[in-house]
Coordinates of all heavy atoms in Angstrom, one line a residue:
M1 N 42.4 -104.3 -33.1 CA 41.9 -104.7 -31.9 C 42.7 -105.9 -31.4 O 43.0 -106.1 -30.2 CB 40.5 -105.0 -32.0 CG 39.6 -103.9 -32.3 SD 39.7 -102.6 -31.0 CE 38.5 -103.0 -30.0
L2 N 43.1 -106.8 -32.3 CA 43.8 -108.0 -32.0 C 45.2 -107.6 -31.4 O 45.7 -108.2 -30.5 CB 43.9 -108.9 -33.2 CG 44.6 -110.3 -33.0 CD1 43.8 -111.1 -32.0 CD2 44.8 -111.0 -34.3
T3 N 45.8 -106.6 -32.0 CA 47.2 -106.2 -31.6 C 47.1 -105.6 -30.2 O 48.0 -105.9 -29.3 CB 47.8 -105.1 -32.6 OG1 47.8 -105.7 -33.9 CG2 49.1 -104.7 -32.2
I4 N 46.1 -104.8 -29.9 CA 45.9 -104.3 -28.6 C 45.6 -105.4 -27.6 O 46.1 -105.4 -26.4 CB 44.8 -103.2 -28.6 CG1 45.2 -102.0 -29.3 CG2 44.5 -102.8 -27.1 CD1 44.2 -100.9 -29.4
H5 N 44.9 -106.3 -28.0 CA 44.6 -107.4 -27.1 C 45.8 -108.3 -26.8 O 46.0 -108.7 -25.6 CB 43.5 -108.3 -27.8 CG 43.1 -109.5 -26.9 ND1 42.4 -109.4 -25.8 CD2 43.3 -110.8 -27.1 CE1 42.2 -110.6 -25.2 NE2 42.7 -111.5 -26.0
Q6 N 46.7 -108.5 -27.7 CA 47.9 -109.3 -27.5 C 49.0 -108.6 -26.8 O 49.6 -109.0 -25.8 CB 48.4 -109.9 -28.8 CG 47.4 -111.0 -29.3 CD 48.0 -111.5 -30.7 OE1 48.9 -110.9 -31.3 NE2 47.3 -112.5 -31.2
H7 N 49.3 -107.3 -27.3 CA 50.5 -106.6 -26.8 C 50.2 -105.5 -25.9 O 51.1 -105.0 -25.2 CB 51.3 -106.1 -28.0 CG 51.7 -107.1 -28.9 ND1 52.7 -108.1 -28.6 CD2 51.3 -107.4 -30.2 CE1 52.9 -108.9 -29.6 NE2 52.0 -108.5 -30.6
G8 N 49.0 -105.0 -25.8 CA 48.6 -103.9 -24.9 C 48.9 -102.6 -25.6 O 49.6 -102.5 -26.6
S9 N 48.3 -101.5 -25.1 CA 48.5 -100.2 -25.6 C 49.8 -99.6 -25.1 O 50.3 -99.9 -24.1 CB 47.3 -99.4 -25.4 OG 47.1 -99.2 -24.1
N10 N 50.2 -98.5 -25.8 CA 51.4 -97.8 -25.5 C 51.0 -96.9 -24.2 O 49.9 -96.3 -24.2 CB 52.0 -97.0 -26.6 CG 53.3 -96.5 -26.4 OD1 53.9 -96.7 -25.4 ND2 53.8 -95.7 -27.4
N11 N 52.0 -96.7 -23.4 CA 51.7 -95.8 -22.2 C 52.4 -94.5 -22.4 O 53.6 -94.5 -22.5 CB 52.3 -96.5 -21.0 CG 51.9 -95.9 -19.7 OD1 51.3 -94.8 -19.7 ND2 52.0 -96.6 -18.6
P12 N 51.7 -93.3 -22.3 CA 52.4 -92.1 -22.6 C 53.2 -91.6 -21.4 O 54.1 -90.8 -21.6 CB 51.2 -91.1 -22.7 CG 50.1 -91.8 -22.1 CD 50.3 -93.3 -22.2
L13 N 53.1 -92.2 -20.3 CA 54.0 -91.9 -19.2 C 55.4 -92.5 -19.2 O 56.2 -92.2 -18.4 CB 53.3 -92.2 -17.8 CG 52.0 -91.5 -17.5 CD1 51.4 -91.9 -16.3 CD2 52.2 -89.9 -17.5
G14 N 55.5 -93.5 -20.1 CA 56.8 -94.2 -20.2 C 56.9 -95.4 -19.2 O 58.0 -96.0 -19.2
V15 N 55.9 -95.7 -18.6 CA 56.0 -96.9 -17.7 C 55.9 -98.1 -18.5 O 55.0 -98.3 -19.3 CB 54.9 -96.8 -16.7 CG1 54.9 -98.0 -15.7 CG2 54.9 -95.6 -15.8
T16 N 56.9 -99.0 -18.4 CA 57.0 -100.2 -19.3 C 56.6 -101.4 -18.5 O 56.4 -102.5 -19.1 CB 58.4 -100.4 -19.8 OG1 59.3 -100.5 -18.8 CG2 58.7 -99.2 -20.7
G17 N 56.3 -101.4 -17.3 CA 56.0 -102.6 -16.5 C 54.6 -103.0 -16.8 O 53.7 -102.2 -17.1
N18 N 54.3 -104.3 -16.6 CA 53.1 -104.9 -16.8 C 52.1 -104.7 -15.7 O 50.9 -105.0 -15.7 CB 53.1 -106.3 -17.2 CG 53.6 -106.5 -18.6 OD1 53.5 -105.6 -19.5 ND2 54.3 -107.6 -18.8
L19 N 52.6 -104.1 -14.5 CA 51.8 -103.9 -13.4 C 50.7 -102.9 -13.5 O 49.7 -102.9 -12.9 CB 52.7 -103.6 -12.1 CG 53.7 -104.6 -11.8 CD1 54.7 -104.1 -10.6 CD2 53.0 -105.9 -11.4
D20 N 51.0 -101.8 -14.3 CA 50.1 -100.8 -14.5 C 49.1 -100.9 -15.7 O 48.3 -100.1 -15.9 CB 50.9 -99.4 -14.7 CG 51.6 -99.0 -13.4 OD1 51.2 -99.4 -12.4 OD2 52.6 -98.3 -13.6
R21 N 49.3 -102.0 -16.4 CA 48.4 -102.2 -17.5 C 47.1 -102.9 -17.1 O 47.1 -103.7 -16.2 CB 49.1 -103.1 -18.6 CG 50.3 -102.4 -19.2 CD 50.8 -103.2 -20.3 NE 51.9 -102.6 -21.0 CZ 52.7 -103.2 -21.8 NH1 52.4 -104.4 -22.3 NH2 53.7 -102.5 -22.4
V22 N 46.0 -102.5 -17.8 CA 44.7 -103.1 -17.6 C 44.4 -104.1 -18.7 O 44.6 -103.8 -19.9 CB 43.6 -102.0 -17.6 CG1 42.3 -102.7 -17.4 CG2 43.9 -101.1 -16.5
P23 N 44.1 -105.4 -18.5 CA 43.8 -106.3 -19.5 C 42.6 -105.9 -20.4 O 41.7 -105.3 -19.9 CB 43.5 -107.6 -18.8 CG 43.8 -107.4 -17.4 CD 44.0 -106.0 -17.1
F24 N 42.7 -106.2 -21.6 CA 41.7 -105.7 -22.6 C 40.4 -106.5 -22.4 O 39.3 -105.9 -22.4 CB 42.2 -106.0 -24.0 CG 41.3 -105.5 -25.1 CD1 41.2 -104.2 -25.4 CD2 40.4 -106.4 -25.7 CE1 40.3 -103.8 -26.4 CE2 39.6 -106.0 -26.7 CZ 39.5 -104.7 -27.0
H25 N 40.5 -107.8 -22.3 CA 39.2 -108.6 -22.4 C 38.2 -108.4 -21.3 O 37.1 -108.0 -21.6 CB 39.6 -110.1 -22.5 CG 38.4 -111.0 -22.5 ND1 37.4 -110.9 -23.4 CD2 38.0 -111.9 -21.6 CE1 36.4 -111.7 -23.1 NE2 36.8 -112.4 -22.0
P26 N 38.5 -108.6 -20.1 CA 37.3 -108.4 -19.2 C 36.8 -107.0 -19.0 O 35.6 -106.8 -18.8 CB 37.8 -109.1 -17.9 CG 39.3 -109.0 -17.9 CD 39.7 -109.0 -19.4
Y27 N 37.7 -106.0 -19.0 CA 37.3 -104.7 -18.7 C 36.7 -104.0 -20.0 O 35.5 -103.5 -19.9 CB 38.4 -103.9 -18.2 CG 38.9 -104.5 -16.9 CD1 40.2 -105.1 -16.9 CD2 38.2 -104.4 -15.7 CE1 40.6 -105.7 -15.7 CE2 38.7 -104.9 -14.6 CZ 39.9 -105.6 -14.5 OH 40.3 -106.2 -13.4
F28 N 37.4 -103.8 -21.0 CA 36.9 -103.1 -22.2 C 35.9 -103.8 -23.0 O 35.0 -103.2 -23.5 CB 38.1 -102.7 -23.1 CG 39.1 -101.8 -22.4 CD1 40.3 -102.2 -22.0 CD2 38.7 -100.5 -22.1 CE1 41.2 -101.3 -21.4 CE2 39.6 -99.6 -21.5 CZ 40.8 -100.0 -21.1
T29 N 35.9 -105.1 -23.0 CA 34.9 -105.9 -23.7 C 33.5 -105.7 -23.0 O 32.5 -105.5 -23.6 CB 35.2 -107.4 -23.8 OG1 36.5 -107.5 -24.4 CG2 34.2 -108.2 -24.5
F30 N 33.6 -105.7 -21.7 CA 32.3 -105.6 -20.9 C 31.8 -104.1 -21.0 O 30.6 -103.9 -21.2 CB 32.6 -105.8 -19.4 CG 31.4 -105.7 -18.6 CD1 30.4 -106.6 -18.6 CD2 31.3 -104.6 -17.7 CE1 29.2 -106.4 -17.8 CE2 30.1 -104.4 -16.9 CZ 29.1 -105.3 -16.9
K31 N 32.7 -103.2 -21.1 CA 32.3 -101.8 -21.2 C 31.7 -101.6 -22.6 O 30.7 -100.9 -22.7 CB 33.6 -100.9 -21.1 CG 33.3 -99.4 -21.1 CD 34.5 -98.6 -20.9 CE 35.0 -98.1 -22.2 NZ 36.0 -97.1 -22.2
D32 N 32.3 -102.1 -23.6 CA 31.6 -102.0 -25.0 C 30.3 -102.7 -25.1 O 29.4 -102.2 -25.7 CB 32.6 -102.6 -26.0 CG 33.9 -101.7 -26.2 OD1 33.9 -100.5 -25.7 OD2 34.9 -102.2 -26.7
L33 N 30.2 -103.9 -24.5 CA 28.9 -104.6 -24.5 C 27.8 -103.8 -23.7 O 26.7 -103.8 -24.2 CB 29.1 -106.0 -23.9 CG 29.8 -107.0 -24.8 CD1 30.0 -108.3 -24.0 CD2 29.1 -107.2 -26.1
V34 N 28.2 -103.2 -22.6 CA 27.2 -102.4 -21.9 C 26.8 -101.3 -22.8 O 25.5 -100.9 -22.8 CB 27.7 -101.9 -20.6 CG1 26.9 -100.8 -20.0 CG2 27.9 -103.1 -19.6
T35 N 27.6 -100.6 -23.5 CA 27.3 -99.5 -24.3 C 26.4 -100.0 -25.5 O 25.3 -99.3 -25.8 CB 28.5 -98.8 -24.9 OG1 29.4 -98.4 -23.8 CG2 28.2 -97.6 -25.8
I36 N 26.7 -101.1 -26.1 CA 25.9 -101.6 -27.2 C 24.5 -102.0 -26.7 O 23.5 -101.7 -27.4 CB 26.6 -102.8 -27.9 CG1 27.8 -102.3 -28.6 CG2 25.7 -103.5 -28.8 CD1 28.7 -103.4 -29.1
V37 N 24.4 -102.6 -25.6 CA 23.1 -103.1 -25.0 C 22.3 -101.8 -24.7 O 21.1 -101.8 -24.9 CB 23.3 -104.0 -23.8 CG1 22.0 -104.1 -23.0 CG2 23.8 -105.3 -24.2
F38 N 22.9 -100.8 -24.1 CA 22.2 -99.5 -23.8 C 21.6 -98.9 -25.0 O 20.5 -98.4 -25.1 CB 23.0 -98.6 -23.0 CG 22.4 -97.3 -22.6 CD1 21.4 -97.3 -21.7 CD2 22.8 -96.1 -23.3 CE1 20.8 -96.1 -21.4 CE2 22.1 -94.9 -23.0 CZ 21.2 -94.9 -22.1
F39 N 22.4 -98.9 -26.1 CA 22.0 -98.2 -27.4 C 20.8 -99.0 -28.0 O 19.9 -98.5 -28.4 CB 23.2 -98.2 -28.3 CG 22.8 -97.8 -29.7 CD1 22.5 -96.5 -30.0 CD2 22.7 -98.7 -30.8 CE1 22.1 -96.0 -31.3 CE2 22.3 -98.3 -32.0 CZ 22.0 -97.0 -32.3
L40 N 21.0 -100.4 -28.0 CA 19.9 -101.2 -28.5 C 18.6 -101.1 -27.7 O 17.5 -101.1 -28.3 CB 20.3 -102.6 -28.7 CG 21.4 -102.9 -29.7 CD1 21.8 -104.4 -29.7 CD2 20.9 -102.5 -31.1
L41 N 18.7 -100.9 -26.4 CA 17.5 -100.8 -25.6 C 16.8 -99.4 -25.8 O 15.7 -99.4 -26.0 CB 17.9 -100.9 -24.1 CG 16.8 -100.7 -23.1 CD1 15.9 -101.9 -23.2 CD2 17.4 -100.6 -21.7
T42 N 17.6 -98.3 -26.0 CA 17.1 -97.1 -26.3 C 16.5 -97.0 -27.7 O 15.4 -96.5 -27.9 CB 18.2 -96.0 -26.2 OG1 18.8 -96.1 -24.9 CG2 17.6 -94.6 -26.4
L43 N 17.1 -97.6 -28.6 CA 16.6 -97.7 -30.0 C 15.3 -98.5 -30.0 O 14.3 -98.1 -30.7 CB 17.6 -98.4 -30.9 CG 17.2 -98.5 -32.4 CD1 17.1 -97.1 -33.0 CD2 18.2 -99.3 -33.2
S44 N 15.2 -99.6 -29.3 CA 14.0 -100.4 -29.3 C 12.9 -99.7 -28.6 O 11.7 -99.9 -29.0 CB 14.3 -101.8 -28.6 OG 14.6 -101.6 -27.3
V45 N 13.1 -98.9 -27.6 CA 12.0 -98.1 -27.0 C 11.5 -97.1 -28.0 O 10.3 -97.0 -28.1 CB 12.6 -97.3 -25.7 CG1 11.6 -96.3 -25.3 CG2 12.8 -98.3 -24.6
F46 N 12.3 -96.4 -28.8 CA 11.8 -95.5 -29.8 C 11.1 -96.3 -30.9 O 10.0 -95.9 -31.3 CB 13.0 -94.8 -30.4 CG 13.3 -93.5 -29.7 CD1 14.5 -93.4 -29.0 CD2 12.4 -92.4 -29.7 CE1 14.7 -92.3 -28.2 CE2 12.7 -91.3 -29.0 CZ 13.9 -91.2 -28.3
V47 N 11.5 -97.4 -31.3 CA 10.9 -98.2 -32.4 C 9.6 -98.8 -32.0 O 8.6 -98.7 -32.7 CB 11.9 -99.3 -33.0 CG1 11.2 -100.2 -33.8 CG2 13.1 -98.6 -33.7
F48 N 9.5 -99.4 -30.8 CA 8.3 -100.1 -30.5 C 7.3 -99.3 -29.7 O 6.1 -99.6 -29.8 CB 8.7 -101.4 -29.7 CG 9.5 -102.4 -30.4 CD1 10.8 -102.7 -30.1 CD2 9.0 -103.0 -31.6 CE1 11.5 -103.6 -30.8 CE2 9.7 -103.8 -32.3 CZ 10.9 -104.2 -31.9
Y49 N 7.7 -98.3 -28.9 CA 6.8 -97.6 -28.1 C 6.4 -96.2 -28.6 O 5.3 -95.7 -28.5 CB 7.3 -97.5 -26.6 CG 7.3 -98.9 -26.0 CD1 8.5 -99.5 -25.7 CD2 6.1 -99.5 -25.7 CE1 8.5 -100.8 -25.1 CE2 6.0 -100.8 -25.1 CZ 7.3 -101.4 -24.8 OH 7.3 -102.6 -24.2
Y50 N 7.5 -95.5 -29.1 CA 7.3 -94.2 -29.6 C 7.8 -93.9 -31.0 O 8.7 -93.2 -31.3 CB 8.0 -93.2 -28.7 CG 7.6 -93.2 -27.2 CD1 8.5 -93.8 -26.3 CD2 6.4 -92.8 -26.8 CE1 8.2 -93.9 -25.0 CE2 6.1 -92.9 -25.4 CZ 6.9 -93.5 -24.5 OH 6.6 -93.6 -23.2
P51 N 7.1 -94.6 -32.0 CA 7.7 -94.5 -33.3 C 7.5 -93.2 -34.0 O 8.2 -92.9 -35.0 CB 6.9 -95.6 -34.1 CG 5.6 -95.7 -33.3 CD 6.0 -95.5 -31.9
N52 N 6.6 -92.3 -33.6 CA 6.3 -91.1 -34.3 C 7.0 -89.9 -33.6 O 6.7 -88.8 -34.0 CB 4.8 -90.9 -34.4 CG 4.1 -92.0 -35.2 OD1 4.7 -92.4 -36.2 ND2 3.0 -92.4 -34.8
V53 N 7.7 -90.1 -32.6 CA 8.3 -89.0 -31.8 C 9.3 -88.2 -32.7 O 9.3 -86.9 -32.7 CB 9.0 -89.5 -30.5 CG1 9.8 -88.4 -29.9 CG2 7.9 -90.0 -29.6
L54 N 10.1 -88.9 -33.5 CA 11.1 -88.2 -34.3 C 10.6 -87.9 -35.7 O 11.4 -87.4 -36.5 CB 12.4 -89.1 -34.3 CG 13.0 -89.5 -33.0 CD1 14.1 -90.5 -33.2 CD2 13.4 -88.2 -32.3
G55 N 9.3 -88.2 -35.9 CA 8.8 -87.9 -37.3 C 8.5 -86.4 -37.5 O 8.5 -85.6 -36.5
H56 N 8.2 -86.0 -38.7 CA 7.8 -84.7 -38.9 C 6.3 -84.6 -39.1 O 5.6 -85.5 -39.5 CB 8.4 -84.3 -40.3 CG 8.5 -82.8 -40.5 ND1 7.4 -82.1 -41.1 CD2 9.4 -81.9 -40.1 CE1 7.7 -80.9 -41.1 NE2 8.9 -80.7 -40.6
S57 N 5.7 -83.4 -38.7 CA 4.2 -83.3 -38.7 C 3.6 -83.3 -40.1 O 2.5 -83.6 -40.3 CB 3.8 -82.1 -38.0 OG 4.4 -80.9 -38.6
D58 N 4.4 -83.0 -41.1 CA 4.0 -83.0 -42.5 C 3.7 -84.4 -43.0 O 3.1 -84.6 -44.1 CB 5.0 -82.3 -43.4 CG 5.0 -80.8 -43.2 OD1 4.1 -80.3 -42.6 OD2 6.0 -80.2 -43.7
N59 N 4.1 -85.4 -42.3 CA 3.9 -86.8 -42.8 C 2.4 -87.2 -42.6 O 2.0 -88.2 -43.1 CB 4.8 -87.7 -42.0 CG 6.2 -87.6 -42.4 OD1 6.5 -87.1 -43.4 ND2 7.1 -88.0 -41.4
Y60 N 1.7 -86.4 -41.8 CA 0.2 -86.7 -41.5 C -0.7 -86.0 -42.4 O -1.9 -86.2 -42.3 CB -0.1 -86.5 -40.1 CG 0.7 -87.4 -39.2 CD1 1.8 -86.9 -38.5 CD2 0.5 -88.7 -39.1 CE1 2.6 -87.6 -37.7 CE2 1.3 -89.5 -38.2 CZ 2.3 -89.0 -37.6 OH 3.1 -89.8 -36.7
I61 N -0.2 -85.2 -43.3 CA -1.1 -84.5 -44.3 C -1.4 -85.4 -45.5 O -0.4 -86.0 -46.0 CB -0.4 -83.2 -44.8 CG1 -0.1 -82.3 -43.6 CG2 -1.2 -82.5 -45.9 CD1 0.7 -81.0 -44.0
P62 N -2.6 -85.6 -45.8 CA -2.9 -86.5 -46.9 C -2.3 -86.0 -48.2 O -2.3 -84.7 -48.5 CB -4.4 -86.5 -47.0 CG -4.9 -86.0 -45.7 CD -3.8 -85.1 -45.2
A63 N -1.8 -86.9 -49.0 CA -1.1 -86.5 -50.3 C -2.1 -86.0 -51.3 O -3.2 -86.6 -51.4 CB -0.4 -87.7 -50.8
N64 N -1.8 -85.0 -52.1 CA -2.6 -84.5 -53.2 C -1.7 -84.6 -54.4 O -0.7 -83.8 -54.6 CB -3.0 -83.0 -52.9 CG -3.9 -82.4 -54.0 OD1 -4.2 -83.1 -54.9 ND2 -4.2 -81.2 -53.9
P65 N -2.0 -85.5 -55.3 CA -1.2 -85.7 -56.5 C -1.2 -84.6 -57.5 O -0.4 -84.5 -58.4 CB -1.7 -87.0 -57.1 CG -3.1 -87.1 -56.6 CD -3.1 -86.4 -55.3
M66 N -2.2 -83.6 -57.3 CA -2.3 -82.6 -58.3 C -1.6 -81.3 -57.8 O -1.7 -80.2 -58.5 CB -3.7 -82.2 -58.6 CG -4.5 -83.3 -59.2 SD -3.7 -83.9 -60.8 CE -4.0 -82.5 -61.8
Q67 N -1.0 -81.3 -56.6 CA -0.3 -80.1 -56.1 C 1.0 -80.4 -55.5 O 1.1 -81.4 -54.8 CB -1.2 -79.5 -55.0 CG -0.7 -78.2 -54.4 CD -1.6 -77.7 -53.3 OE1 -2.5 -78.3 -53.0 NE2 -1.2 -76.5 -52.8
T68 N 2.0 -79.6 -55.9 CA 3.3 -79.8 -55.3 C 3.4 -79.1 -54.0 O 3.0 -78.0 -53.8 CB 4.4 -79.2 -56.3 OG1 4.2 -79.8 -57.6 CG2 5.8 -79.4 -55.8
P69 N 3.9 -79.8 -53.0 CA 4.1 -79.1 -51.7 C 5.0 -77.9 -51.8 O 5.9 -77.8 -52.6 CB 4.8 -80.2 -50.8 CG 4.5 -81.5 -51.5 CD 4.4 -81.1 -53.0
P70 N 4.7 -76.8 -51.0 CA 5.5 -75.6 -51.2 C 6.9 -75.7 -50.7 O 7.8 -74.9 -51.1 CB 4.7 -74.6 -50.3 CG 3.9 -75.4 -49.4 CD 3.6 -76.7 -50.1
S71 N 7.2 -76.7 -49.9 CA 8.6 -76.9 -49.4 C 9.5 -77.5 -50.5 O 10.7 -77.4 -50.3 CB 8.6 -77.8 -48.2 OG 8.1 -79.0 -48.5
I72 N 8.9 -78.1 -51.5 CA 9.8 -78.7 -52.6 C 10.1 -77.7 -53.6 O 9.2 -77.1 -54.3 CB 9.1 -79.9 -53.2 CG1 8.9 -80.9 -52.1 CG2 9.9 -80.4 -54.3 CD1 8.1 -82.2 -52.6
V73 N 11.3 -77.3 -53.8 CA 11.7 -76.3 -54.7 C 12.9 -76.9 -55.5 O 13.8 -77.5 -54.9 CB 12.2 -75.0 -54.1 CG1 12.7 -74.0 -55.1 CG2 11.0 -74.4 -53.2
P74 N 12.9 -76.8 -56.8 CA 14.1 -77.3 -57.6 C 15.4 -76.5 -57.4 O 15.3 -75.4 -56.8 CB 13.6 -77.3 -59.0 CG 12.6 -76.3 -59.1 CD 11.9 -76.2 -57.7
E75 N 16.4 -77.1 -57.9 CA 17.7 -76.3 -57.9 C 17.6 -75.1 -58.7 O 16.7 -74.9 -59.6 CB 18.8 -77.2 -58.4 CG 19.1 -78.4 -57.6 CD 19.6 -78.1 -56.2 OE1 20.3 -77.0 -56.1 OE2 19.4 -78.8 -55.3
W76 N 18.5 -74.1 -58.5 CA 18.4 -72.8 -59.1 C 18.5 -72.9 -60.6 O 17.9 -72.1 -61.3 CB 19.6 -71.9 -58.6 CG 20.9 -72.4 -58.9 CD1 21.7 -73.3 -58.2 CD2 21.7 -72.1 -60.1 NE1 22.9 -73.5 -58.9 CE2 22.9 -72.8 -60.0 CE3 21.5 -71.4 -61.2 CZ2 23.9 -72.8 -61.0 CZ3 22.5 -71.3 -62.2 CH2 23.6 -72.1 -62.1
Y77 N 19.2 -73.9 -61.2 CA 19.4 -74.0 -62.6 C 18.1 -74.5 -63.3 O 18.0 -74.5 -64.5 CB 20.6 -74.7 -63.0 CG 20.8 -76.0 -62.3 CD1 20.2 -77.2 -62.7 CD2 21.6 -76.1 -61.1 CE1 20.4 -78.4 -62.0 CE2 21.8 -77.3 -60.5 CZ 21.2 -78.5 -60.9 OH 21.3 -79.6 -60.3
L78 N 17.2 -75.1 -62.5 CA 15.9 -75.6 -63.1 C 14.7 -74.7 -62.8 O 13.6 -75.1 -63.3 CB 15.7 -77.1 -62.5 CG 16.7 -78.1 -62.8 CD1 16.3 -79.4 -62.1 CD2 16.7 -78.4 -64.3
L79 N 14.9 -73.6 -62.2 CA 13.8 -72.7 -61.8 C 13.1 -72.2 -63.0 O 11.8 -72.1 -63.0 CB 14.3 -71.6 -60.9 CG 14.5 -71.9 -59.4 CD1 15.2 -70.8 -58.7 CD2 13.2 -72.4 -58.9
P80 N 13.8 -71.8 -64.2 CA 13.0 -71.3 -65.3 C 12.0 -72.3 -65.9 O 10.9 -72.1 -66.2 CB 14.1 -70.9 -66.3 CG 15.3 -70.7 -65.6 CD 15.2 -71.6 -64.3
Y81 N 12.5 -73.6 -66.0 CA 11.7 -74.7 -66.5 C 10.5 -75.0 -65.5 O 9.4 -75.3 -65.9 CB 12.5 -75.9 -66.8 CG 13.7 -75.6 -67.7 CD1 15.0 -75.7 -67.1 CD2 13.5 -75.2 -68.9 CE1 16.0 -75.4 -68.0 CE2 14.6 -75.0 -69.8 CZ 15.9 -75.1 -69.3 OH 16.9 -74.8 -70.1
Y82 N 10.8 -74.9 -64.3 CA 9.8 -75.1 -63.2 C 8.7 -74.1 -63.3 O 7.5 -74.3 -63.2 CB 10.5 -75.2 -61.9 CG 9.5 -75.5 -60.8 CD1 8.9 -76.8 -60.7 CD2 9.1 -74.6 -59.7 CE1 8.1 -77.1 -59.6 CE2 8.3 -74.9 -58.7 CZ 7.8 -76.1 -58.6 OH 6.9 -76.5 -57.6
A83 N 9.1 -72.8 -63.6 CA 8.1 -71.7 -63.7 C 7.3 -71.9 -65.0 O 6.1 -71.6 -64.9 CB 8.9 -70.3 -63.7
I84 N 7.9 -72.4 -66.0 CA 7.1 -72.7 -67.2 C 6.1 -73.8 -67.0 O 4.9 -73.6 -67.4 CB 8.1 -73.1 -68.4 CG1 8.9 -71.8 -68.8 CG2 7.2 -73.6 -69.6 CD1 10.0 -72.2 -69.8
L85 N 6.4 -74.8 -66.3 CA 5.5 -75.9 -66.0 C 4.4 -75.4 -65.0 O 3.2 -75.8 -65.2 CB 6.2 -77.0 -65.3 CG 7.1 -77.9 -66.3 CD1 7.8 -78.9 -65.5 CD2 6.2 -78.5 -67.3
R86 N 4.7 -74.5 -64.1 CA 3.7 -74.0 -63.2 C 2.7 -73.1 -63.9 O 1.6 -72.8 -63.4 CB 4.4 -73.3 -62.0 CG 5.0 -74.3 -61.1 CD 5.5 -73.7 -59.9 NE 4.4 -73.1 -59.2 CZ 4.5 -72.5 -58.0 NH1 5.7 -72.4 -57.4 NH2 3.5 -71.9 -57.4
S87 N 3.1 -72.5 -65.0 CA 2.3 -71.5 -65.7 C 1.1 -72.2 -66.5 O 0.2 -71.6 -66.9 CB 3.1 -70.6 -66.7 OG 3.6 -71.4 -67.7
I88 N 1.3 -73.5 -66.7 CA 0.2 -74.2 -67.4 C -0.9 -74.6 -66.4 O -0.7 -75.3 -65.5 CB 0.8 -75.6 -68.1 CG1 1.9 -75.2 -69.0 CG2 -0.3 -76.3 -68.7 CD1 2.7 -76.4 -69.5
P89 N -2.1 -74.1 -66.7 CA -3.2 -74.3 -65.7 C -3.7 -75.7 -65.6 O -3.9 -76.2 -64.5 CB -4.3 -73.3 -66.2 CG -4.0 -73.1 -67.6 CD -2.5 -73.2 -67.8
N90 N -3.8 -76.3 -66.7 CA -4.3 -77.7 -66.7 C -3.4 -78.6 -67.4 O -3.3 -78.6 -68.6 CB -5.7 -77.8 -67.3 CG -6.4 -79.1 -67.1 OD1 -5.9 -80.0 -66.5 ND2 -7.6 -79.2 -67.7
K91 N -2.6 -79.4 -66.6 CA -1.6 -80.3 -67.2 C -2.2 -81.5 -67.9 O -1.5 -82.2 -68.5 CB -0.6 -80.6 -66.1 CG 0.1 -79.3 -65.7 CD 1.0 -79.7 -64.5 CE 1.7 -78.5 -63.9 NZ 0.7 -77.5 -63.4
L92 N -3.4 -81.8 -67.6 CA -4.0 -83.1 -68.1 C -4.8 -82.9 -69.4 O -5.1 -83.9 -70.1 CB -5.0 -83.7 -67.1 CG -4.3 -84.1 -65.8 CD1 -5.3 -84.7 -64.8 CD2 -3.2 -85.2 -66.0
S93 N -5.0 -81.7 -69.8 CA -5.7 -81.5 -71.1 C -4.8 -81.5 -72.2 O -3.7 -81.0 -72.2 CB -6.5 -80.2 -71.0 OG -5.6 -79.1 -71.1
Y94 N -5.2 -82.2 -73.3 CA -4.3 -82.3 -74.4 C -4.7 -81.4 -75.6 O -4.2 -81.4 -76.7 CB -4.3 -83.8 -75.0 CG -3.7 -84.7 -74.0 CD1 -4.5 -85.6 -73.3 CD2 -2.4 -84.8 -73.7 CE1 -4.0 -86.5 -72.4 CE2 -1.8 -85.6 -72.8 CZ -2.6 -86.5 -72.1 OH -2.1 -87.3 -71.2
K95 N -5.6 -80.5 -75.3 CA -6.1 -79.6 -76.3 C -5.1 -78.4 -76.4 O -4.6 -77.9 -75.4 CB -7.4 -79.0 -76.0 CG -8.5 -80.1 -76.0 CD -9.8 -79.5 -75.6 CE -10.8 -80.6 -75.6 NZ -12.2 -80.1 -75.1
T96 N -4.8 -77.9 -77.6 CA -3.9 -76.8 -77.7 C -4.6 -75.4 -77.9 O -5.7 -75.3 -78.2 CB -3.0 -77.0 -79.0 OG1 -3.8 -77.2 -80.1 CG2 -2.1 -78.1 -78.6

């Protein structure tokens, strides 16, 4: 950015005069600041006024520590072990 600010960018048309160049600081700095302010304004609207718009509806289901949600499935190489664990009816009993 410092090099572009000092020397300017290359012109693909081959025009080497400084008459056709646009200065970096007042134009591109302002353009970038407007974009950043617009992004922060949009982000703050979502954060402060509509925080749940981008959330998933499953987040409002109360958690049940004794049941695994159906959407959670282990990787293919862990499926046999997962099936063995699911076959045990009562995981809290220590009786054999």
Side-chain angles (χ1 to χ4, degrees):
M1 294 303 266
L2 184 62
T3 305
I4 292 175
H5 180 68
Q6 288 177 353
H7 301 289
S9 61
N10 195 3
N11 191 347
L13 297 176
V15 179
T16 59
N18 288 333
L19 298 175
D20 292 335
R21 292 186 181 173
V22 177
F24 182 82
H25 173 60
Y27 298 107
F28 294 109
T29 305
F30 180 73
K31 185 177 100 170
D32 291 342
L33 285 176
V34 167
T35 304
I36 291 170
V37 167
F38 178 72
F39 172 75
L40 290 176
L41 181 67
T42 306
L43 180 67
S44 64
V45 166
F46 273 109
V47 167
F48 294 118
Y49 293 110
Y50 305 108
N52 297 322
V53 170
L54 300 176
H56 199 271
S57 60
D58 288 344
N59 291 336
Y60 297 104
I61 298 173
N64 184 1
M66 297 303 292
Q67 182 181 6
T68 303
S71 62
I72 297 175
V73 179
E75 296 292 331
W76 63 270
Y77 48 84
L78 295 175
L79 283 174
Y81 306 111
Y82 184 67
I84 292 170
L85 286 175
R86 288 186 60 176
S87 67
I88 301 171
N90 189 1
K91 295 171 186 60
L92 294 180
S93 70
Y94 295 107
K95 298 178 183 178
T96 56

